[in-house]
Amino acid sequence: LSNLEDNLDSQNFVLSQQDDTHTATLPIPNSPSKIIVYVDMDCFYVSVAISQKPYLEGLPLVVTPSGRSTGTSEVSSASYEARKYGIKPRMLVSEALKLCPDLEVLPCDFEKYSKVSEKIYQIFMK
């Protein structure tokens, strides 16, 4: 989302974050009101992974920076199916696998996230 945040900042958007919720507001010139855009980007990394590999839809899935299921790798994003097992972002993948042995573990794809966030930004600007 860093590209999105940089672009929104350049357009005078005011970004705020509370928990996993990001809010962008854009002041409207000569108007006392403003537009508030709420976008639920929860599971963004997982959603991007599923768009590339649709056969993963409906499976418990996590995305990690390393893509490894050993060591101290942490969950960056967890699908809703994985969350049913108690798996959460920032949890060690080794702990997540204890909760759900059939968990799919994928590596982060920051280049793809950047491209998708840019497309989202373009939609906001329309």
Side-chain angles (χ1 to χ4, degrees):
L1 291 175
S2 61
N3 283 352
L4 178 62
E5 290 175 350
D6 292 342
N7 288 328
L8 290 175
D9 285 341
S10 70
Q11 298 293 324
N12 296 319
F13 276 86
V14 177
L15 295 174
S16 60
Q17 179 180 0
Q18 182 176 4
D19 299 323
D20 289 334
T21 301
H22 291 77
T23 303
T25 58
L26 175 63
I28 300 172
N30 303 320
S31 173
S33 62
K34 57 185 171 183
I35 296 173
I36 297 176
V37 178
Y38 172 80
V39 180
D40 183 353
M41 298 294 280
D42 195 33
C43 302
F44 175 70
Y45 291 178
V46 167
S47 296
V48 171
I50 291 171
S51 74
Q52 300 299 296
K53 300 176 181 182
Y55 62 88
L56 294 172
E57 189 165 356
L59 298 177
L61 169 69
V62 296
V63 177
T64 71
S66 68
R68 293 192 322 252
S69 57
T70 60
T72 59
S73 187
E74 289 187 0
V75 172
S76 295
S77 183
S79 67
Y80 292 115
E81 293 80 9
R83 291 174 185 213
K84 291 177 185 175
Y85 291 88
I87 297 168
K88 302 174 187 172
R90 297 176 295 283
M91 175 182 278
L92 291 177
V93 174
S94 58
E95 292 297 316
L97 284 165
K98 289 177 187 174
L99 296 172
C100 179
D102 295 326
L103 187 66
E104 296 283 338
V105 180
L106 296 176
C108 288
D109 184 348
F110 293 109
E111 184 177 328
K112 186 65 179 173
Y113 306 146
S114 179
K115 289 177 183 176
V116 172
S117 67
E118 184 64 32
K119 287 180 183 179
I120 293 168
Y121 167 73
Q122 293 302 324
I123 292 167
F124 288 161
M125 293 297 101
K126 287 184 178 181

